[in-house]
Amino acid sequence: MATTTTIQSPAGNRTLAAFRYYNFRLYFFGQLVSTSGTWMQTVAQGWLVFSLTQSEIWLGIVACMAGLPALFLSPFAGVIVERSPRHHILIFTQVIQMMLAFILAWLTFTNTVQVWHIVALSFLLGTTNAIDAPARQALVVDMVGRQDLSSGISLTSVMYNASRVFGPSAAGIALVQFGPAWCFLLNGLSFLAVIVSLLAMHIEHETRIAGNAAPLTQLKEGLSFARHHLTIAPLLLLATVGAIFGFNVWTLLPSYADKVLNSPKEGYAALSTANGIGAVVAAILITSVGARFGRGRVVTVMAIVAAIGTFALSRMTTVPLALVFTIMAGFSLIMQFVTMNTLIQSEVPDEFRGRVLSLYTLTFFGVAPFGALALGFIAEAIGTPNALTLCAILSGSLSAIILARSPKLRQLA
């Protein structure tokens, strides 16, 4: 890993620069296979839950149980990430997640799966994700150094969102032809790729801040740093709003595809793929767009565009038009969140990196699932389209308030 701590200007970063590093290349292709499998399972699991229950509430419960552990563990996970070798943490979490996928596959193959099994497995998966997510994000700087950090983050997003195309597309085929159990089995096998890549890595100068302070003291220091930082604090608030009212929209896609589009399998898989296509395009363009218009402006515009796309999607009743606005929402959400991730990692010093990133991942894995649970109850009461409309209005309004009160964030280059 490069030892320099200088970050180049956004315009000087090249999107593909991180591929110069052997460790990053291993990580990129191993994770591409593994996350594609994870998206296969996500799509198949959503379909399975809805087919077992015919209830939006259960979709929300499963999502909520996946996030409940992160609500309590994520802040402490940041301390663990700063004290332990990150790629060793990832090997452990990936092995556990592989075992959970195989268990779900076995239950489904034997026709013994019940919704409470999925809830329990989601809870265990969420427990590992609470540690896995900040470790993955912090590992990027260990692999490429701060001088190529923007490239590493952008390429990681390209990889993650490319899997959102490959995984749902493969899941659509497997669901129609073979059933959900094969999606779960293939996901379990896909973890072998990332485990092998992590075992093959040689990170000589991993950035760790062990320190002598007690873990609880370190936790309080990290919370205080984030709360008082002029740009990190509003970025974390925006991430929370986007995670609750933006990404939670996808929790209702199985219901939307079934009840509104009348296409529970093919329509659901197509929507998931369209979302991934928009996300991949955003991840590819993120560096050039940020350099041209300024990353603060990108965050500002995309937060509003995402709300508009979600609102339009909620009013659609045909698959082709729904796909158009799904691409729009997926593009804007990923453009916003990858830019926010880059800004946070650029602003935070190494001694607070793990703790601040754990707060960032907390918005996805800890706070957002409770929004998914509430959204499930709301959709059950007023219908899925109206619930999506409500999400769009709240997302756009709250984001606009945060941005209006954060002039320094809007001006970031």
Side-chain angles (χ1 to χ4, degrees), residues 269-293:
L271 289 173
S272 299
T273 301
N275 179 34
I277 291 172
V280 169
V281 174
I284 292 172
L285 297 178
I286 190 69
T287 300
S288 59
V289 171
R292 181 173 181 179
F293 298 104

Side-chain angles (χ1 to χ4, degrees), residues 98-118:
M98 177 176 67
M99 294 171 61
L100 295 175
F102 284 142
I103 291 172
L104 183 55
W106 176 75
L107 288 169
T108 310
F109 273 122
T110 57
N111 293 316
T112 57
V113 66
Q114 300 179 38
V115 70
W116 73 264
H117 292 140
I118 302 174

Side-chain angles (χ1 to χ4, degrees), residues 178-200:
F178 307 110
W182 281 97
C183 296
F184 306 144
L185 176 62
L186 291 173
N187 178 41
L189 293 173
S190 73
F191 281 102
L192 295 174
V194 70
I195 292 170
V196 169
S197 71
L198 289 167
L199 289 171

Side-chain angles (χ1 to χ4, degrees), residues 3-275:
T3 58
T4 180
T5 58
T6 301
I7 300 180
Q8 296 175 347
S9 65
N13 285 323
R14 293 174 296 141
T15 302
L16 301 180
F19 276 140
R20 295 183 299 158
Y21 301 91
Y22 171 75
N23 287 327
F24 185 83
R25 294 196 300 272
L26 281 175
Y27 176 82
F28 182 95
F29 293 108
Q31 283 282 1
L32 179 61
V33 174
S34 179
T35 52
S36 295
T38 298
W39 275 105
M40 283 190 69
Q41 173 158 322
T42 299
V43 171
Q45 180 175 286
W47 177 87
L48 180 60
V49 169
F50 196 73
S51 67
L52 289 172
T53 65
Q54 291 296 304
S55 170
E56 293 92 343
I57 292 176
W58 276 108
L59 291 171
I61 290 173
V62 170
C64 182
M65 293 305 293
L68 183 61
L71 182 64
F72 301 101
L73 295 178
S74 285
F76 296 96
V79 177
I80 295 172
V81 166
E82 290 178 358
R83 288 171 170 256
S84 308
R86 288 146 189 174
H87 79 291
H88 291 172
I89 293 174
L90 290 176
I91 291 171
F92 172 77
T93 57
Q94 297 295 295
V95 169
I96 298 299
Q97 291 178 12
M98 177 176 67
M99 294 171 61
L100 295 175
F102 284 142
I103 291 172
L104 183 55
W106 176 75
L107 288 169
T108 310
F109 273 122
T110 57
N111 293 316
T112 57
V113 66
Q114 300 179 38
V115 70
W116 73 264
H117 292 140
I118 302 174
V119 170
L121 291 171
S122 295
F123 179 84
L124 295 174
L125 181 62
T127 302
T128 63
N129 272 333
I131 301 174
D132 180 272
R136 271 188 287 114
Q137 295 199 51
L139 184 66
V140 175
V141 75
D142 296 329
M143 293 185 291
V144 305
R146 289 177 67 91
Q147 72 278 6
D148 287 318
L149 180 59
S150 179
S151 170
I153 294 172
S154 296
L155 286 173
T156 299
S157 180
V158 170
M159 172 270 295
Y160 178 76
N161 290 297
S163 71
R164 296 175 68 179
V165 177
F166 302 147
S169 298
I173 296 172
L175 268 175
V176 173
Q177 299 295 328
F178 307 110
W182 281 97
C183 296
F184 306 144
L185 176 62
L186 291 173
N187 178 41
L189 293 173
S190 73
F191 281 102
L192 295 174
V194 70
I195 292 170
V196 169
S197 71
L198 289 167
L199 289 171
M201 284 185 184
H202 301 286
I203 299 179
E204 298 178 359
H205 305 292
E206 191 168 20
T207 305
R208 282 193 290 151
I209 312 295
N212 296 319
L216 188 58
T217 300
Q218 287 187 297
L219 173 60
K220 291 179 179 178
E221 290 175 350
L223 291 172
S224 178
F225 171 84
R227 184 166 64 91
H228 292 99
H229 199 284
L230 291 178
T231 54
I232 289 178
L235 283 168
L236 290 175
L237 287 175
L238 276 176
T240 302
V241 170
I244 293 175
F245 300 111
F247 282 105
N248 270 340
V249 165
W250 314 127
T251 303
L252 293 180
L253 284 188
S255 171
Y256 178 75
D258 188 347
K259 295 184 176 181
V260 179
L261 301 181
N262 299 312
S263 182
K265 284 187 178 182
E266 293 85 351
Y268 176 39
L271 289 173
S272 299
T273 301
N275 179 34

